[in-house]
Amino acid sequence: MGVMGSVDEFLKECEKSGDAAYGAFRSVLERLEDPNTRVQARIFLSDLQKRFSNSKDNTNSLQCFNTYHFRIEDIFLDQFQGYQGRKKLTTMVIPSIFVPEDWSFTFYEGLNRHPDSIFKDKSVAELGCGNGWISIAIAEKWLPSKVYGLDINPRAVKVSLINLYLNALDERGQPIYDEEKKTLLDRVEFHESDLLSYCKDHDIQLERIVGCIPQILNPNPDAMSKMITENASEEFLYSLSNYCALQGFVEDQFGLGLIARAVEEGITVIKPLGIMIFNMGGRPGQAVCKRLFERRGFCVNKIWQTKVIQAADTDISALVEIEKNSPHRFEFFMGRSGDQPICARTAWAYGKAGGSISHALSVYSCQLRQPNQVKTIFEFLKNGFHEISSSLDLSFEDDSVADEKIPFLAYLASVLKENSCFPYEPPAGSKRFRNLIAGFMKTYHHVPLNSDNIVVFPSRAVAIENALRLFSPRLAVVDEHLTRHLPRQWLTSLVIENTGSDNPSQDILTVIEAPRQSDLMIEVIKKLKPQVVVTGLPHFEAVTSSAFEHLLNVTREIGARLFLDISDHFELSSLPGSSGVLKYLSGTRLPSHAAIICGLLKNQVYSDLEVAFIISEEEAIFKALSKTVELLEGITAPISQYYYGCLFHELLSFQLADRRPPAEREIQKGDSVEMIGFASSAISVLNNSELSINEAENTSLIHMDVDQSFLPLPSPVKAAIFESYARQNMADSEIDVTSSIKHFIKCNYGFPTDSSTEFVYADSSLALFNKVVLCCIQEGGTLCFPAGSNGTYVSAAKFLKANIVNIFTKAEEGFKLTEKILSEVLESVNKPWVYISGPTINPTGLLYNNEEIGNILSTCAKFGARVVIDTSFSGLEFDSESWGGWDLEGSLSKLTSSAQPSFGVSLLGGLSLKMLTGALKFGFLVLDQSILVDTFNNFPGLSKPHSTVKYAIKKLLGLRERKSGDILDGVGEQIRNLRSRSKRLKETLENCGWDVLESCAGVSMVAKPSAYLNKIVKLKNLPKDGDSSTDNDVTYEVKLDDINIREAIFKATGLCINSSSWTAIPGYCRFTIALEESEFERALDCIVKFKDIIGA
């Protein structure tokens, strides 16, 4: 219409069709939006309404709707005495948008149950605003700062704008001002928006989100595929308003997928103290509706509920089908007054027979319990991990559980999002974690510790066993509550006098159990005079320090080391209970002969997730324990440290730093006899082993000397890690990895298993290997290592006092074990145990093919050797097709008749490299001989993988079994990356004067520094920890060889490698290549830099 025309002309145009009516009202809206024609247009609408407003029973309104495809009517907001606001709103509707009915009226009633302050001066968004009446009513009654009415239907937005003008201006077209001198035009905006997309796109943060969103009872995946335009058909636009598409949420099956998406989008734009209010049909059941919010971290309050009659044209057959295929039952009622719920099938039959069925309609008010952390979690999930959102469960009956788990999940999400891999951590434990422990001790117990006083262990049992092995006393007295995981041999030995044996492996450590009560424990100590005491304190003695002081004095007098366990009394709380031990340490330095053990197990969420630490203020003890962890355990699982680190951080984050000066502490005085020192065998190994170099303050080292992967984690690995911690109530079948491991070793190595095969799991393959070493020692066997084995494994075996034979290997055969060399050695070895790294050999990166391993096993069978095949470093073969793989079942089946009875093959492995799991530490050991299983069970002190780790591992192995593209593509990409790096490292080394043995698999290679041998280099002393003096800034000359070149490269460039002392291959050093990308580039630069320094 060029001009507005008369009411009759307008109606004549509207009568043509719904589209024509919409077009006519668009012209009116254009005039309403123009200040010059706004008054005239509003008066026109008043005249139009009067034409149909005479009927009291809405007859005229319905006639108008049917004839002219629109209607204008009043909605009465409050008819009760005392209401001061506007009594009614005037609204119009057209056929292609939702008409206000029971659902929206119930929703407004629910909003009315909130206090008046709920929307006052708040920013509000209404989702699915329809004709906009609720947005306008909110603005009219509660005076919010801004209301955004949002709808995906473009016609609904235009109609809402018309309704806004209908109520912002009076019948004469004049503005209606509220008590703050504002009109509805100042407070309300309407926008076309798919849920909250408008707010997200315009970075609008909201304080309230409300929505009366439909449930989709029979979702159509193709419903949203058409282009959305306001010129689309009325039927399409109406179904669009009904959101008929699947949303990709687990709630889709209940018709709640759209609401689930609205809630998750709301999390991204809601302010920390914001509230969401949603209308929910009760057909899925109240528990399902409530859980939709609770599992996403909301506290939920149902503020209003009524029943509405199920629309006669609503087909609930889809719900009947869901009930048929699942145990779920939907919730309907017979008529409005029925109070006993009936299922969808009964409701369907009752409705078909002419009965009236109803369902509950509830209004829920929801608020995030920890908004910032929940936002972080959902930010991570939407960043490529939406598929695991169905596993997220942030619903908790106990607030203390929520207070632990939600911050941790947020921290884990941020770590996984921001880091492509997990960084290197020193064996003593994450520096951040140790600093947090020290900070907690300093803040809450006034004990001035630092990170170099704390060593982290996988568990308390491991900490105790490692400490005992470090000192290897003749006799130890251990609290009877702490002996359960110690080796059985220690607990059954009756040797309490020195045997005088010259063979370290024959030394027997005897543990005597004693009561925990201090007076009884002290009586045992005085009588037996042990070299080491490990004990806790009863609760009644732990409150004061007297029992602890008595133990300190007695152990010092007899020259015994004391390890005091405070695990039972250590509270991770902002109001920790009184601890006599920590009170003592706040005023007195921990004596040199004493250390504190603390196991962290008392968390609210993961009952079997444990980390432990030992506190010692003696530098020598700290360093020795750190090396012991590296030799016997590798590293403590990083994510376990992250979890408890989060708990410490939460307790420290609100505190002001350095508010109190450090305490002045006394040094305990008193005469003492000479203390037992470290075991001589331990000193020898710790001094001579090439363990990882740990960086001093303000230095950044490049670690080509550790068997860890710092390659980017594939997305499925990140997803599995997060999902494992997000889940609750895992079924046993979800964490039983044995069937998956069976399939894994069968497919990858052809390793046979049967019902008698034993599977053992631990945090690392190194820990399992060390238990195998103990089995070998107990049997009186000899460990046979080929030259070119993992140097850390060899050092660990020496530390455990195993009898060891090194098998010489030849350069022309790639330093691989051969049938001939092995036969020559085994002829003279009693009870041999042969260690084989394969298929990928660490450190050379070469491969044993199926024929070679078959020949080795044949030789071992001939001599009755027990074989340990270590597959931990396998799975990253550069050309997996050309080498053909292994068929151990075929090789072993040929040996059953000819093998000596003692012959057997144990398979050791891990998934860190094969699956690029990074910080997800998991090792497995497969034992095929019952006698070996019995021996292994004598050494129970293993740190077992947590249930979350097993869940993630099972998930990843399942993806691999199904040949999931994501995991295979991720691993394949990194294999190509490693192959490229191997070539680049080879070229760089050769250009710098090294002779390189080219690798064809894995993450390491060896090279000989031929151009550097016998060269003279000047090196500078590095300052000792904490020493800032300049006395160390002196240089000294060194003639380079294949061992000291490690130190020379480290001091000159900061690059850490392994020398020939570690590889046991004369002349050859080891380089690992699974570094973070920039670190690898820096490593290549360091190699070139060292060449320039030496002038080779």
Side-chain angles (χ1 to χ4, degrees):
M1 296 189 309
V3 289
M4 189 92 69
S6 67
V7 169
D8 290 329
E9 290 172 328
F10 185 85
L11 292 175
K12 187 175 181 181
E13 179 69 20
C14 291
E15 191 176 10
K16 295 177 181 177
S17 67
D19 288 340
Y22 173 69
F25 274 104
R26 274 209 61 174
S27 296
V28 175
L29 177 59
E30 289 171 4
R31 294 177 176 276
L32 287 168
E33 290 175 329
D34 184 348
N36 296 320
T37 56
R38 182 174 295 166
V39 173
Q40 179 189 2
R42 177 63 182 91
I43 293 172
F44 175 81
L45 288 175
S46 298
D47 294 341
L48 189 62
Q49 183 184 12
K50 289 173 185 175
R51 180 69 66 93
F52 300 97
S53 62
N54 295 328
S55 171
K56 293 184 179 180
D57 59 1
N58 285 332
T59 304
N60 288 353
S61 176
L62 291 173
Q63 179 187 354
C64 177
F65 194 76
N66 294 329
T67 305
Y68 299 111
H69 308 99
F70 76 91
R71 73 177 181 219
I72 302 175
E73 59 189 4
D74 294 329
I75 296 176
F76 291 91
L77 299 181
D78 201 320
Q79 303 175 56
F80 298 100
Q81 187 174 2
Y83 178 62
Q84 300 299 317
R86 190 185 302 203
K87 299 293 185 183
K88 67 179 182 179
L89 295 180
T90 301
T91 64
M92 67 157 283
V93 293
I94 60 175
S96 56
I97 64 173
F98 273 151
V99 176
E101 35 75 66
D102 270 355
W103 275 65
S104 59
F105 295 143
T106 299
F107 183 48
Y108 184 72
E109 290 167 355
L111 297 179
N112 260 332
R113 288 183 64 87
H114 283 87
D116 286 346
S117 59
I118 183 71
F119 297 116
K120 175 75 168 138
D121 297 326
K122 301 293 191 294
S123 55
V124 185
E126 185 198 0
L127 307 182
C129 65
N131 75 339
W133 81 268
I134 289 180
S135 292
I136 296 168
I138 290 172
E140 164 59 32
K141 180 174 180 179
W142 287 290
L143 306 183
S145 62
K146 184 67 73 175
V147 179
Y148 299 95
L150 309 175
D151 203 295
I152 196 171
N153 183 343
R155 290 192 178 182
V157 174
K158 294 293 191 286
V159 171
S160 295
L161 287 168
I162 292 173
N163 287 330
L164 177 60
Y165 285 102
L166 267 173
N167 293 278
L169 308 174
D170 64 19
E171 293 181 350
R172 294 173 290 109
Q174 299 306 305
I176 302 173
Y177 292 98
D178 57 35
E179 62 190 53
E180 295 179 355
K181 307 303 180 187
K182 291 183 178 180
T183 74
L184 289 173
L185 295 176
D186 299 315
R187 298 189 186 277
V188 184
E189 296 178 15
F190 289 102
H191 300 281
E192 184 181 336
S193 176
D194 182 4
L195 294 181
L196 284 158
S197 60
Y198 176 83
C199 295
K200 291 194 296 179
D201 293 345
H202 292 80
D203 197 25
I204 296 170
Q205 293 291 300
L206 301 165
E207 291 159 298
R208 302 290 183 263
I209 297 172
V210 303
C212 181
I213 300 178
Q215 292 174 351
I216 307 97
L217 301 187
N218 190 11
N220 171 14
D222 301 321
M224 301 284 281
S225 60
K226 297 180 183 178
M227 182 68 71
I228 301 170
T229 70
E230 61 179 309
N231 296 320
S233 70
E234 290 187 350
E235 293 79 7
F236 171 70
L237 289 171
Y238 189 85
S239 69
L240 181 66
S241 294
N242 211 6
Y243 274 93
C244 293
L246 289 166
Q247 303 297 316
F249 291 90
V250 68
E251 287 86 1
D252 272 330
Q253 62 187 310
F254 305 118
L256 302 175
L258 180 62
I259 299 172
R261 181 159 75 89
V263 170
E264 293 197 5
E265 287 189 14
I267 289 171
T268 65
V269 297
I270 196 86
K271 289 185 177 180
L273 296 178
I275 295 173
M276 298 189 199
I277 306 169
F278 285 101
N279 213 22
M280 299 281 284
R283 287 172 293 214
Q286 295 298 313
V288 171
C289 294
K290 197 174 179 185
R291 179 161 171 72
L292 181 150
F293 300 105
E294 288 179 333
R295 80 177 191 87
R296 290 172 170 85
F298 286 88
C299 297
V300 182
N301 181 25
K302 183 166 65 176
I303 55 176
W304 174 234
Q305 180 172 312
T306 186
K307 291 192 184 80
V308 295
I309 297 297
Q310 177 72 60
D313 60 350
T314 301
D315 182 10
I316 64 170
S317 59
L319 307 189
V320 176
E321 196 64 25
I322 291 174
E323 287 187 344
K324 177 181 174 183
N325 297 309
S326 77
H328 184 75
R329 293 295 174 261
F330 289 87
E331 199 172 88
F332 292 87
F333 298 90
M334 296 167 64
R336 228 185 248 278
S337 58
D339 56 1
Q340 293 298 313
I342 58 175
C343 66
R345 184 168 178 268
T346 303
W348 176 82
Y350 186 69
K352 284 287 185 184
S356 172
I357 59 173
S358 67
H359 63 81
L361 194 58
S362 306
V363 180
Y364 289 97
S365 179
C366 319
Q367 191 166 18
L368 287 171
R369 61 167 85 224
Q370 298 198 33
N372 292 331
Q373 287 93 337
V374 173
K375 281 174 179 283
T376 299
I377 291 168
F378 278 92
E379 185 70 26
F380 166 74
L381 292 177
K382 76 173 188 179
N383 198 26
F385 299 98
H386 175 74
E387 71 278 3
I388 62 172
S389 65
S390 59
S391 298
L392 184 68
D393 190 351
L394 302 179
S395 59
F396 307 98
E397 293 181 3
D398 186 342
D399 284 345
S400 63
V401 176
D403 291 343
E404 280 193 19
K405 185 165 183 176
I406 293 176
F408 170 67
L409 289 178
Y411 177 72
L412 182 60
S414 64
V415 168
L416 292 171
K417 179 185 174 187
E418 294 166 10
N419 300 287
S420 62
C421 64
F422 288 87
Y424 170 80
E425 298 288 4
S430 156
K431 191 71 177 281
R432 175 182 181 271
F433 182 49
R434 289 184 286 131
N435 277 326
L436 286 167
I437 296 173
F440 180 82
M441 290 294 193
K442 197 179 301 182
T443 302
Y444 285 91
H445 295 287
H446 316 297
V447 182
L449 299 177
N450 60 55
S451 62
D452 289 338
N453 301 134
I454 298 164
V455 181
V456 179
F457 292 83
S459 67
R460 179 175 64 176
V462 168
I464 292 171
E465 183 175 340
N466 283 11
L468 289 171
R469 291 195 182 281
L470 176 61
F471 289 98
S472 197
R474 167 184 51 80
L475 177 65
V477 170
V478 180
D479 176 345
E480 60 192 354
H481 297 89
L482 302 175
T483 58
R484 187 161 60 96
H485 296 291
L486 293 178
R488 198 166 299 161
Q489 186 183 24
W490 292 0
L491 299 172
T492 56
S493 168
L494 296 176
V495 180
I496 60 175
E497 299 294 335
N498 195 335
T499 62
S501 170
D502 293 329
N503 185 351
S505 66
Q506 299 300 314
D507 292 346
I508 296 177
L509 193 162
T510 300
V511 170
I512 299 295
E513 297 174 273
R516 172 170 286 189
Q517 189 172 316
S518 65
D519 57 342
L520 300 176
M521 172 64 75
I522 286 170
E523 182 66 23
V524 172
I525 293 170
K526 286 181 175 178
K527 291 289 186 186
L528 297 182
K529 292 183 170 52
Q531 287 81 45
V532 175
V533 175
V534 184
T535 185
L537 290 173
H539 282 284
F540 70 90
E541 292 184 318
V543 179
T544 67
S545 62
S546 58
F548 177 50
E549 291 184 59
H550 203 175
L551 283 166
L552 286 175
N553 292 333
V554 170
T555 50
R556 187 185 67 250
E557 287 168 5
I558 67 167
R561 299 275 176 182
L562 173 64
F563 289 87
L564 189 88
D565 175 44
I566 64 169
S567 308
D568 293 344
H569 322 297
F570 187 76
E571 294 181 15
L572 279 174
S573 165
S574 58
L575 294 171
S578 179
S579 167
V581 174
L582 298 178
K583 278 182 184 175
Y584 175 86
L585 293 181
S586 68
T588 308
R589 182 182 170 89
L590 188 62
S592 61
H593 75 288
I596 304 298
I597 297 176
C598 184
L600 300 175
L601 186 63
K602 292 187 287 187
N603 70 80
Q604 300 286 338
V605 184
Y606 307 108
S607 60
D608 56 342
L609 183 67
E610 185 176 3
V611 165
F613 58 89
I614 289 181
I615 296 172
S616 173
E617 298 194 57
E618 279 292 302
E619 183 183 15
I621 301 289
F622 168 79
K623 289 185 174 179
L625 286 172
S626 301
K627 292 180 178 180
T628 304
V629 176
E630 183 171 3
L631 279 177
L632 300 184
E633 308 299 327
I635 61 170
T636 300
I639 300 182
S640 300
Q641 297 184 63
Y642 289 172
Y643 184 79
Y644 283 101
C646 267
L647 300 189
F648 282 116
H649 180 266
E650 288 295 303
L651 293 169
L652 293 170
S653 59
F654 62 90
Q655 302 260 1
L656 294 176
D658 302 323
R659 195 157 56 90
R660 299 179 183 89
E664 293 291 331
R665 297 194 298 164
E666 298 177 359
I667 297 177
Q668 189 190 48
K669 297 177 182 177
D671 298 330
S672 64
V673 299
E674 185 178 351
M675 296 290 162
I676 180 177
F678 306 136
S680 57
S681 57
I683 293 173
S684 173
V685 173
L686 296 182
N687 288 343
N688 297 321
S689 296
E690 272 193 10
L691 301 176
S692 60
I693 300 171
N694 291 307
E695 50 194 284
E697 294 293 334
N698 304 318
T699 63
S700 180
L701 306 183
I702 306 168
H703 283 282
M704 282 186 136
D705 63 337
V706 294
D707 287 309
Q708 296 177 43
S709 171
F710 305 105
L711 298 171
L713 299 181
S715 289
V717 173
K718 288 187 174 184
I721 291 173
F722 188 82
E723 183 178 354
S724 69
Y725 282 92
R727 280 287 306 274
Q728 291 193 48
N729 305 317
M730 295 178 189
D732 289 342
S733 59
E734 293 179 294
I735 58 176
D736 182 3
V737 297
T738 299
S739 60
S740 299
I741 294 294
K742 278 184 181 179
H743 186 271
F744 176 80
I745 61 177
K746 174 72 175 174
C747 291
N748 287 280
Y749 313 115
F751 190 81
T753 58
D754 55 34
S755 58
S756 65
T757 305
E758 184 81 4
F759 291 82
V760 188
Y761 308 110
D763 277 347
S764 69
S765 52
L766 174 59
L768 289 165
F769 169 77
N770 287 322
K771 298 302 180 187
V772 171
V773 172
L774 294 174
C775 292
C776 172
I777 294 170
Q778 183 158 319
E779 192 179 77
T782 300
L783 263 175
C784 303
F785 285 104
S789 295
N790 185 301
T792 303
Y793 281 44
V794 177
S795 295
K798 290 178 180 177
F799 184 88
L800 295 171
K801 307 176 188 177
N803 292 320
I804 293 175
V805 169
N806 292 312
I807 305 174
F808 176 74
T809 53
K810 297 179 180 179
E812 57 269 24
E813 289 157 347
F815 302 108
K816 291 201 280 188
L817 195 58
T818 64
E819 186 179 5
K820 179 182 177 185
I821 293 173
L822 185 58
S823 295
E824 293 172 357
V825 172
L826 295 185
E827 283 177 354
S828 58
V829 174
N830 183 38
K831 296 182 179 178
W833 289 55
V834 178
Y835 171 85
I836 301 167
S837 176
T840 299
I841 304 167
N842 184 1
T844 61
L846 300 183
L847 290 164
Y848 286 115
N849 62 35
N850 194 54
E851 181 182 356
E852 289 170 330
I853 193 64
N855 291 337
I856 291 171
L857 292 177
S858 176
T859 304
C860 291
K862 175 181 172 184
F863 290 95
R866 300 199 193 282
V867 181
V868 180
I869 299 178
D870 183 6
T871 65
S872 305
F873 310 99
S874 300
L876 297 175
E877 293 76 30
F878 300 161
D879 190 356
S880 57
E881 294 181 4
S882 64
W883 78 279
W886 275 6
D887 177 20
L888 291 177
E889 185 170 17
S891 300
L892 292 171
S893 63
K894 301 172 186 175
L895 306 175
T896 51
S897 58
S898 60
Q900 294 285 337
S902 58
F903 171 72
V905 177
S906 301
L907 197 72
L908 178 67
L911 299 175
S912 181
L913 295 181
K914 180 79 175 178
M915 306 287 286
L916 297 178
T917 56
L920 202 61
K921 299 303 177 187
F922 179 84
F924 63 85
L925 176 65
V926 187
L927 302 171
D928 68 342
Q929 293 174 297
S930 58
I931 187 172
L932 199 53
V933 173
D934 293 339
T935 306
F936 193 92
N937 289 333
N938 287 329
F939 305 100
L942 268 178
S943 182
K944 299 294 181 69
H946 185 246
S947 57
T948 54
V949 173
K950 291 188 282 188
Y951 178 91
I953 291 296
K954 185 177 179 71
K955 184 119 186 167
L956 292 171
L957 288 173
L959 290 175
R960 194 176 182 90
E961 287 173 27
R962 297 191 295 274
K963 298 192 178 341
S964 170
D966 287 346
I967 188 69
L968 295 181
D969 291 347
V971 174
E973 180 183 348
Q974 293 310 324
I975 288 175
R976 291 188 291 274
N977 183 22
L978 289 171
R979 183 184 216 168
S980 170
R981 287 186 179 189
S982 178
K983 289 181 178 179
R984 289 188 62 202
L985 179 59
K986 177 176 182 289
E987 292 170 2
T988 301
L989 287 170
E990 288 177 341
N991 290 337
C992 293
W994 295 69
D995 292 332
V996 180
L997 182 63
E998 185 171 4
S999 66
C1000 53
V1003 298
S1004 66
M1005 64 164 51
V1006 296
K1008 187 174 185 177
S1010 303
Y1012 301 85
L1013 299 179
N1014 299 317
K1015 296 263 186 177
I1016 304 295
V1017 60
K1018 287 186 178 181
L1019 299 176
K1020 181 185 290 188
N1021 272 329
L1022 291 178
K1024 296 179 181 178
D1025 294 344
D1027 185 357
S1028 60
S1029 68
T1030 57
D1031 296 342
N1032 294 297
D1033 294 341
V1034 295
T1035 59
Y1036 60 98
E1037 289 189 346
V1038 171
K1039 181 187 283 189
L1040 292 178
D1041 57 32
D1042 56 349
I1043 295 176
N1044 64 23
I1045 193 168
R1046 179 190 195 228
E1047 181 184 15
I1049 293 175
F1050 159 61
K1051 289 188 174 181
T1053 69
L1055 175 64
C1056 307
I1057 66 169
N1058 296 117
S1059 75
S1060 64
S1061 171
W1062 190 93
T1063 65
I1065 304 174
Y1068 281 82
C1069 302
R1070 197 270 296 250
F1071 301 78
T1072 61
I1073 58 175
L1075 305 178
E1076 190 269 328
E1077 187 65 39
S1078 63
E1079 292 288 278
F1080 180 70
E1081 297 298 331
R1082 284 181 59 209
L1084 297 183
D1085 292 340
C1086 288
I1087 293 169
V1088 175
K1089 178 182 176 182
F1090 186 70
K1091 174 204 168 191
D1092 295 339
I1093 292 172
I1094 303 301

